[in-house]
Each structure stands twice: as structure tokens, then as C-alpha cells.
């Protein structure tokens, strides 16, 4: 019996409309600056747990801070009858998504990518190289020469035109036709 009268519900688990939630929401909506500290104390642990499952650990405090700032900045939109906690969690979800979108996508360091390429099956790599050699050999000589100078000689198309004594447009056409034919041969 005694427990029922003293148990006010666990923090962060009140339903909308409970006296403490209504009081805090009303104070926040009224612009009481101490209400923001109350929001942090009452909702902070639950929001931190919620955000911990949605953003990297090093961003949780930043996102929580932006949630609290938005609670304060947009307090005129708060409907105390609908519940402060639900509104705070809606904002937390939106801020978490915003922070994740702002983060650069994870990348693989170039050294790791090179090791992964070298770690592939040697037989597969050799077979692929033989396929490329056979496809190059099947190209007409002018196309093979233009592609060879571009990719193996590391020359620009302008430098290839100067070396071959051919117009730049001709070198571009040979390279484009050769690459198209090469992709057709490799796909077959």
C-alpha cells in the first residue's frame, strides 16, 4: 500500500499529462530558463540512451545538446497537454538523422584497399590479366596503340597526338572506339 502512494513513476517514463511533466512543459512553454535545466535533468538520461543506439558514441552529447537547444528555441510550439517527453524524443530522432547525414561516409584507407586487391586469389588475377591481353591483341593496331600510350605510357591525348603525328580528334576517336570494343570483348 505504502509503495503505491510514494511511487511517482520512473524518471523518463511518465505518461503525458502527469503533474511533473505538465509542470515542466508549462514552465518551458512560458520561457522559464530554469525549465531547460529541468528538462536536462528529467529527460537527459533517457535521451542519452535513445541517442546512444542511433549515433556514434562520440556524437551523443553533441546531439543531446542540439535537442535541448531546439527544445528551448521552439518552446512556443510545445503543447504541454501532448507531453514534453514525446516532443523531446521526436526532436532527438530528427537531430540524430541530421547529424548522421552531416557525417562524411566511412572510407577505406588506400593502403587497405591495395592490400585487399593484392590479397585476391592469384589465379583469378592472372586469368583476368590474360583476358585483357587477349582483348587488347584483338583490337586494330591504331586503337591498341592509342590505348597503350594512354594507359601504359601515361600520356595525355594531346601528347599521344604529338607522338603519333595524328590530329587530336583522330586520337580521341581511336581511344573511344578502342575502349568500347575492349569492353565488348571483355564482356563476351
Amino acid at each position: 500500500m505504502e509503495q503505491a502512494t510514494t511511487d511517482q513513476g520512473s524518471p523518463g517514463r511518465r505518461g503525458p499529462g502527469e503533474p511533473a511533466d505538465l509542470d515542466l512543459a508549462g514552465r518551458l512553454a512560458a520561457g522559464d530558463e530554469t525549465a531547460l535545466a529541468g528538462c536536462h535533468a528529467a529527460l537527459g538520461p533517457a535521451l542519452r540512451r535513445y541517442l546512444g543506439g542511433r549515433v556514434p558514441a562520440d556524437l551523443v552529447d553533441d546531439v543531446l545538446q542540439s535537442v535541448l537547444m531546439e527544445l528551448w528555441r521552439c518552446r512556443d510550439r510545445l503543447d504541454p497537454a501532448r507531453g514534453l517527453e514525446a516532443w523531446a524524443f521526436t526532436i532527438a530522432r530528427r537531430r540524430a538523422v541530421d547529424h548522421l547525414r552531416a557525417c562524411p561516409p566511412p572510407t577505406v584507407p588506400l593502403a587497405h584497399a591495395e592490400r585487399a586487391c593484392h590479397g585476391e586469389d592469384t589465379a583469378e588475377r592472372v586469368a583476368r590479366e590474360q583476358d585483357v591481353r587477349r582483348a587488347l591483341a584483338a583490337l586494330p593496331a591504331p586503337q591498341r596503340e592509342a590505348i597503350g600510350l594512354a594507359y601504359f605510357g601515361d600520356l595525355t591525348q594531346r601528347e599521344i597526338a604529338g607522338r603519333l603525328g595524328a590530329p587530336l580528334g583522330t586520337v580521341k576517336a581511336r581511344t573511344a572506339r578502342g575502349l568500347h570494343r575492349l569492353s565488348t570483348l571483355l564482356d563476351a
Side-chain angles (χ1 to χ4, degrees), residues 108-126 128-129:
V108 176
L110 188 56
H112 179 68
E114 288 175 3
R115 275 182 290 194
C117 290
H118 294 302
E120 71 182 322
D121 185 28
T122 305
E124 288 178 28
R125 191 178 77 241
V126 169
R128 189 177 60 245
E129 288 173 3

Side-chain angles (χ1 to χ4, degrees), residues 16-146:
E18 288 198 18
D21 191 38
L22 279 173
D23 178 53
L24 188 57
R27 288 180 24 228
L28 184 67
D32 180 358
E33 292 181 15
T34 62
L36 190 57
C39 288
H40 187 270
L43 301 173
L47 286 170
R48 190 173 268 115
R49 281 190 305 274
Y50 176 80
L51 292 169
R54 284 157 182 77
V55 297
D58 59 326
L59 290 179
V60 170
D61 288 330
D62 292 341
V63 177
L64 179 60
Q65 181 70 27
S66 66
V67 169
L68 293 171
M69 292 305 297
E70 189 163 342
L71 281 174
W72 178 255
R73 194 177 65 245
C74 300
R75 66 188 177 274
D76 57 328
R77 294 187 214 156
L78 174 62
D79 179 6
R82 295 187 71 187
L84 174 63
E85 186 174 339
W87 189 51
F89 276 90
T90 300
I91 292 172
R93 182 188 166 281
R94 290 179 183 156
R95 290 312 126 244
V97 169
D98 290 347
H99 274 74
L100 290 174
R101 285 182 180 156
C103 292
T107 57
V108 176
L110 188 56
H112 179 68
E114 288 175 3
R115 275 182 290 194
C117 290
H118 294 302
E120 71 182 322
D121 185 28
T122 305
E124 288 178 28
R125 191 178 77 241
V126 169
R128 189 177 60 245
E129 288 173 3
Q130 288 177 345
D131 289 343
V132 171
R133 283 193 179 96
R134 275 194 291 270
L136 278 170
L139 292 177
Q143 292 174 2
R144 183 176 52 247
E145 187 176 28

